[in-house]
Amino acid sequence: MSNELIPSKDGALERAAQESIPVANTGPASLGKQSQGFGVTFATMFKKVNTEQYPEEKVPTAPRFHGRHQLNRYPDGLERCIGCELCAWACPADAIYVEGASNTEDGRFSPGERYGRVYQINYLRCIFCGLCIEACPTRALTMTNEYELADDGREKLIYEKQDLLAPLMPGMVKPPHAMFPGTDDGDYYRGQVTGAHPSQGEQV
Amino acid sequence: MSEVQQLLGNDPGWLTLVKALIVFVFAVLMTLMSIWGERRIVARMQMRLGPNRTGPFGLVQGLADGVKLALKEDIIPKAADAVVFVLAPIIAATTCFMSFAVIPMTGKVKLFGHETTMQLTDLPVGVLYILSIASIGVYGIVLAGWSSGSTYPLLGGLRSSAQVISYEVAMGLSLVAVFLYAGSMSTSDIIDAQNKIWYAIVLFPSFVIYVISMVGETNRAPFDLAEAEGELVGGFHTEYSSLKFALFFLAEYVNIITVSALATTLFLGGYHALPGLTFTESWLGGYFTFFWFLAKVLAFLFFFIWLRGTLPRLRYDQFMKFGWKVLIPASLVWIMLVSTLRVFSLQGTSRAYVLGFVVGAILLGLGASSIYDKTKKRKAGEVAALVYDAPDFAVPQLPMSVSTFVVPSAAASKESASE
Amino acid sequence: MNLILAANPFTPGQTGTPEAVLFWILAPLAVLAAVSMIFVKKAVHSALLLAWVMITLAIFYIAEDAPFLGIVQIVVYTGAVMMLFLFILMLVGVDSSDSLVETIKGQRVMAMIGALGFAVLLIGAIGRSYTGFAGLTAANTDGNVEGLAQLLFTRYVWAFEVVSALLITAALGAMVLGHRERSSERPTQRELSILRFRPGSKLPGAPLPNPGVYALHNAVDVPALLPDGTPDPSSVSRVLKARGDVLDTKAFEMHTIEEGEDESK
């Protein structure tokens, strides 16, 4: 019975079908070649080591390093996060918990109708994959380069919204406050609001 | 009685105790140093630093590890034989220190006003004593494996000890040439006999065989399959924790130092200085010879570490085959050659006979190796002749020159048809 | 030993104090070990006690100015012969629970007679060869090793070579008797793989199913359930099946819920 998968070429395979042939071994290399390995290890002893002496020397991370998350703001201080929970749905490790709430005229935290009232990231579950950043429609969620997150308690590693919010820069007004007069959330989204208006409140 | 034996025989009892203490402290300090050196040097060979946090340059790391091990929880498995379980590491640890009793570390020195050498005792069969201690040390491994009460330690212990005793045979045979040339088995006599030239040069094949078998005997890379963590978990010391494990660890490293010290004594002239620098032997009242001894032992230690950092592990059957089928026959042939030459030199036969013998031996060796090569080539040719053409479809590039296809054999198809 | 010689000059035939101390500490230990060897429960303990007796003997040889013999006693007897004994005991696992009922009739009587006869032969042969002791100082004139070598390779060379030939023959005989030849050629990997996928082959084509994982029990002794609800016997190791250690799945199976039944009950 010949195997149809391998074409037969003038009976050569039938001839070889009588026996299974061991593969020829080229054998071990010569003693001289084998001793070259010793030279490699000996020379490597005098090369510069790859070790980074953390925490005495902290090597800077790459520009797009996946570090701690940050909830960004618009230039006038309003939060970008609209509480859409897309990041929570995108997270493969189920590390994000979001509760959205409606903006009211007295309490407006973000342009538009909704904002993230509760925003938690559990850094014991987060795998720093960045899928949440890819999912965020308003570019509210980004990752900083901060990696020194080690702590000694489980509760301490669930970061709340106040731990994740970006700090207020000079020129921003602390929410809640109204939107820039004469704009709507579309203008904010398109980046047309570049600063705070005095009517919005005291600037930082 | 030789000179050194007389000298040591006149030691008062308390001096022997003091020397025993010094030897013990030396062994322990060398162990700590070799652990440190191993971790740092292997790390350097891998382009990284070793431990450098505990103490300056990580010097205290070995001590910290030892203390940590001692303070760990001591577990004795339920299925273990408690008496033998505790006895095994004790046997392993005590025997490894006993070998140091006959190794001369300095020449003649003055210790507390007495003229003596830094050697505990000098038996007329000193080197054989070390071999016997090594034989008892194997008991530690075998008993550890058996008394753990589970299959993998038992298998690991048996494999480990089988390896050790196989390489012990090769080690003993390689030392026979040294005994022939030195005319004695006492360590100090052998060192005296190396005044003119070291045995590593005169008896180079013995030296090579001894170095290979000392690596095999101590279960070190590349012969460390029996205790590599990927195989058989931890080998014979899988079930051991805490101080008993620390004793095994200690025993392994002291064994390494012992065989290095033995190699120094038998092949590198012990405490003698390098030829040409013999005037340094009288410095510091004779104590400078200790530095020569230490330097040679450290060179061997570096060689052990270098081997570990460079070579991949050999499979168990590969190195057992090597020990029995290569090392031992080579040792035996070399011993026959050496004893013939020694008889010639002792009886003062004429140069012609000696030259004729040596030339004849070389010719025989060349003839044997050429026959071996021809047989290998013929076998390789037979295999290569069976190659046939590659099929039409694309095949990946093979690195080897011979490619084969294993097709369903006609025999197997006939067998299945008749079922 | 030389150390003791130099410290305590002795008269031949008299035991010096260090030697007496050594003897009276080690000899009772050795006798105790030899007697306990017969009475301990485990065979390995027995072997270890025998090894201790051998080491004590070696220490005595060294103390009696025969260092070569003592060291060789350790290397050969304790290090090789006892190690071999231990290997066999550990691998085969001899137990004191083994049956002591004899299968050969009259074995003990014949053994006693044979042992007595052998003892008489030995004592007679050795006694005949006794021509008076020369004393160790005379024997060790050139050194212990040289003295032994001179006797072994000149006067007793024939006996020595015959005994070594006997040892080699015994080793070769053991290897020949224990050798096994395969009755058929070993199937190659390719052939085995083809056989696996033939219909009706006993070799599994794919890995066997794993034992069942249940909410209350997930050890290896409960079989997995097939889609129709019956347990699959091939999912449990055949060793457990042979030992009768397989549990019934009924205790862990989920029973069907009747319609309207409240799950929270």
Side-chain angles (χ1 to χ4, degrees):
Chain A
M1 166 188 127
S2 66
N3 192 336
E4 284 84 36
L5 289 175
I6 302 178
S8 175
K9 216 168 162 194
D10 55 68
L13 289 170
E14 265 65 49
R15 266 185 286 124
Q18 303 308 314
E19 51 208 312
S20 69
I21 307 157
V23 177
N25 219 336
T26 47
S30 70
L31 215 54
K33 276 226 162 59
Q34 286 183 1
S35 323
Q36 280 174 358
F38 286 97
V40 169
T41 34
F42 195 75
T44 319
M45 275 173 67
F46 304 105
K47 289 195 188 153
K48 193 162 161 307
V49 290
N50 283 334
T51 315
E52 296 167 0
Q53 297 280 33
Y54 184 90
E56 283 92 24
E57 323 161 349
K58 294 191 190 176
V59 178
T61 53
R64 287 178 250 182
F65 182 80
H66 286 196
R68 182 179 63 80
H69 298 80
Q70 179 175 281
L71 286 172
N72 297 309
R73 299 173 185 273
Y74 286 107
D76 74 335
L78 285 178
E79 299 162 13
R80 282 186 186 250
C81 177
I82 54 173
C84 66
E85 298 184 40
L86 279 175
C87 53
W89 283 100
C91 178
D94 199 14
I96 305 184
Y97 178 71
V98 188
E99 267 181 29
S102 291
N103 279 320
T104 61
E105 275 320 303
D106 306 321
R108 168 171 288 282
F109 290 90
S110 76
E113 293 168 8
R114 303 266 293 172
Y115 73 102
R117 183 175 60 87
V118 176
Y119 196 97
Q120 293 177 351
I121 296 188
N122 183 350
Y123 279 99
L124 292 168
R125 292 191 185 182
C126 175
I127 60 174
F128 297 90
C129 60
L131 288 177
C132 51
I133 283 81
E134 293 179 31
C136 181
T138 53
R139 199 84 180 128
L141 195 62
T142 50
M143 271 173 143
T144 59
N145 287 31
E146 187 187 331
Y147 54 86
E148 289 163 338
L149 302 171
D151 218 325
D152 55 0
R154 282 197 210 163
E155 327 78 45
K156 295 189 201 170
L157 276 166
I158 301 180
Y159 280 38
E160 295 282 344
K161 182 174 166 189
Q162 69 262 22
D163 306 317
L164 294 168
L165 260 183
L168 286 161
M169 294 275 102
M172 290 188 180
V173 181
K174 190 166 187 299
H177 62 80
M179 283 198 276
F180 200 94
T183 59
D184 66 353
D185 51 347
D187 297 325
Y188 271 89
Y189 183 75
R190 284 185 287 272
Q192 287 165 355
V193 178
T194 49
H197 192 265
S199 70
Q200 288 179 302
E202 199 186 306
Q203 293 185 5
V204 164
Chain B
M1 258 200 285
S2 81
E3 200 192 327
V4 174
Q5 287 174 359
Q6 285 224 310
L7 203 60
L8 291 175
N10 283 329
D11 279 345
W14 60 267
L15 191 64
T16 317
L17 285 174
V18 167
K19 280 205 281 190
L21 189 66
I22 294 177
V23 162
F24 182 74
V25 167
F26 170 72
V28 173
L29 282 178
M30 281 298 289
T31 304
L32 287 177
M33 202 174 144
S34 67
I35 296 176
W36 173 81
E38 163 144 43
R39 289 181 73 165
R40 295 281 297 192
I41 294 176
V42 164
R44 245 26 236 282
M45 290 182 177
Q46 297 168 344
M47 263 173 84
R48 58 182 175 92
L49 297 172
N52 61 348
R53 295 269 163 195
T54 44
F57 297 106
L59 279 169
V60 188
Q61 179 75 40
L63 191 62
D65 282 337
V67 173
K68 178 251 323 186
L69 276 173
L71 297 175
K72 267 193 180 181
E73 179 189 356
D74 199 42
I75 302 173
I76 299 186
K78 208 167 103 172
D81 184 329
V83 174
V84 181
F85 194 74
V86 178
L87 188 66
I90 296 177
I91 296 178
T94 32
T95 51
C96 66
F97 283 108
M98 284 165 70
S99 317
F100 269 100
V102 293
I103 295 188
M105 295 199 259
T106 63
K108 287 205 199 34
V109 291
K110 264 197 183 318
L111 189 63
F112 299 115
H114 286 264
E115 179 158 1
T116 176
T117 72
M118 205 48 83
Q119 182 182 355
L120 261 188
T121 178
D122 192 39
L123 292 167
V125 287
V127 183
L128 268 193
Y129 162 79
I130 297 182
L131 281 181
S132 71
I133 296 297
S135 311
I136 303 189
V138 181
Y139 270 84
I141 302 175
V142 160
L143 292 176
W146 174 80
S147 64
S148 299
S150 84
T151 26
Y152 287 114
L154 176 66
L155 292 175
L158 290 174
R159 268 168 116 175
S160 226
S161 48
Q163 173 192 343
V164 171
I165 53 184
S166 315
Y167 278 85
E168 233 171 53
V169 179
M171 207 162 92
L173 282 177
S174 69
L175 300 178
V176 170
V178 174
F179 299 154
L180 282 172
Y181 261 75
S184 154
M185 288 191 266
S186 123
T187 40
S188 46
D189 284 346
I190 294 176
I191 292 188
D192 279 335
Q194 291 182 69
N195 271 329
K196 298 238 182 54
I197 186 164
W198 292 351
Y199 284 152
I201 303 167
V202 176
L203 298 169
F204 187 67
S206 277
F207 182 54
V208 168
I209 294 172
Y210 178 80
V211 164
I212 298 174
S213 50
M214 85 175 175
V215 179
E217 159 134 10
T218 47
N219 272 351
R220 283 284 288 194
F223 303 130
D224 62 348
L225 194 94
E227 58 176 44
E229 273 170 15
E231 343 284 328
L232 298 177
V233 193
F236 61 91
H237 56 66
T238 311
E239 302 282 351
Y240 280 90
S241 56
S242 163
L243 195 62
K244 301 200 274 288
F245 178 75
L247 283 179
F248 275 123
F249 208 57
L250 177 80
E252 178 179 334
Y253 277 95
V254 176
N255 258 329
I256 295 172
I257 298 164
T258 305
V259 293
S260 305
L262 192 62
T264 313
T265 308
L266 294 174
F267 289 101
L268 290 188
Y271 54 76
H272 281 316
L274 284 170
L277 293 172
T278 40
F279 58 88
T280 55
E281 283 181 27
S282 51
W283 289 0
L284 294 178
Y287 277 104
F288 199 75
T289 45
F290 179 70
F291 289 108
W292 285 114
F293 174 78
L294 195 64
K296 292 173 198 174
V297 172
L298 288 177
F300 269 108
L301 269 175
F302 178 73
F303 180 67
F304 265 104
I305 297 172
W306 201 4
L307 277 180
R308 182 191 166 155
T310 310
L311 294 175
R313 203 168 276 142
L314 263 75
R315 220 172 51 220
Y316 190 74
D317 63 309
Q318 284 173 340
F319 66 68
M320 289 301 262
K321 219 183 261 190
F322 181 66
W324 285 98
K325 291 191 184 175
V326 174
L327 282 187
I328 294 186
S331 293
L332 289 171
V333 167
W334 175 246
I335 289 173
M336 286 199 289
L337 281 175
V338 165
S339 39
T340 320
L341 285 173
R342 186 73 175 148
V343 165
F344 281 164
S345 75
L346 282 177
Q347 289 183 342
T349 36
S350 63
R351 283 271 171 103
Y353 278 122
V354 177
L355 212 59
F357 174 75
V358 170
V359 167
I362 294 177
L363 284 176
L364 255 179
L366 287 174
S369 77
S370 84
I371 293 177
Y372 176 66
D373 279 341
K374 281 215 185 78
T375 331
K376 245 188 7 178
K377 274 212 190 78
R378 188 169 50 83
K379 285 224 179 83
E382 276 172 11
V383 175
L386 292 170
V387 172
Y388 44 86
D389 320 302
D392 296 329
F393 50 84
V395 285
Q397 277 284 20
L398 289 174
M400 295 174 282
S401 54
V402 179
S403 64
T404 79
F405 294 95
V406 180
V407 293
S409 59
S413 57
K414 278 193 203 126
E415 204 182 272
S416 58
S418 63
E419 265 176 23
Chain C
M1 231 221 86
N2 298 318
L3 184 64
I4 303 167
L5 270 177
N8 289 320
F10 76 114
T11 45
Q14 281 221 351
T15 318
T17 353
E19 202 182 324
V21 168
L22 184 75
F23 180 80
W24 284 111
I25 294 179
L26 284 180
L29 282 177
V31 169
L32 196 64
V35 170
S36 337
M37 202 184 99
I38 315 174
F39 294 117
V40 285
K41 290 205 197 71
K42 288 206 184 149
V44 171
H45 291 174
S46 184
L48 283 180
L49 289 166
L50 183 60
W52 172 247
V53 173
M54 290 176 180
I55 294 180
T56 321
L57 280 176
I59 297 175
F60 287 160
Y61 289 153
I62 300 177
E64 300 276 344
D65 214 12
F68 185 73
L69 193 58
I71 304 285
V72 166
Q73 162 90 353
I74 295 184
V75 175
V76 173
Y77 247 123
T78 325
V81 174
M82 275 321 295
M83 187 64 65
L84 193 63
F85 268 52
L86 270 177
F87 265 57
I88 305 296
L89 287 175
M90 289 175 185
L91 282 172
V92 172
V94 176
D95 243 331
S96 65
S97 60
D98 279 343
S99 159
L100 290 173
V101 175
E102 286 151 53
T103 48
I104 307 176
K105 279 197 171 54
Q107 187 184 222
R108 280 202 187 168
V109 178
M110 292 306 299
M112 297 257 197
I113 296 176
L116 268 174
F118 185 61
V120 165
L121 186 68
L122 262 187
I123 294 174
I126 295 178
R128 281 285 297 273
S129 67
Y130 169 68
T131 46
F133 294 120
L136 261 178
T137 16
N140 284 354
T141 34
D142 296 325
N144 180 243
V145 183
E146 289 82 347
L148 209 60
Q150 271 176 5
L151 276 180
L152 267 181
F153 291 109
T154 51
R155 235 173 103 185
Y156 298 107
V157 63
W158 177 238
F160 187 65
E161 298 300 329
V162 163
V163 168
S164 42
L166 185 66
L167 278 172
I168 297 176
T169 318
L172 279 176
M175 281 202 286
V176 166
L177 286 174
H179 185 64
R180 276 191 312 175
E181 287 278 352
R182 290 191 75 95
S183 54
S184 62
E185 247 189 41
R186 198 189 169 137
T188 62
Q189 204 177 5
R190 175 91 189 182
E191 286 167 17
L192 277 176
S193 154
I194 293 164
L195 287 172
R196 267 180 236 275
F197 288 96
R198 292 275 152 75
S201 86
K202 296 199 187 59
L203 300 165
L208 290 171
N210 289 327
V213 175
Y214 299 94
L216 294 173
H217 189 86
N218 66 346
V220 296
D221 50 357
V222 183
L225 293 177
L226 290 170
D228 61 355
T230 55
D232 180 7
S234 67
S235 59
V236 180
S237 155
R238 61 185 168 85
V239 174
L240 291 175
K241 279 188 279 203
R243 286 210 289 224
D245 276 341
V246 183
L247 291 183
D248 192 23
T249 55
K250 283 277 178 295
F252 311 109
E253 281 181 50
M254 201 175 71
H255 46 273
T256 48
I257 300 174
E258 299 302 329
E259 214 174 314
E261 198 182 289
D262 192 353
E263 258 193 359
S264 59
K265 282 217 188 90

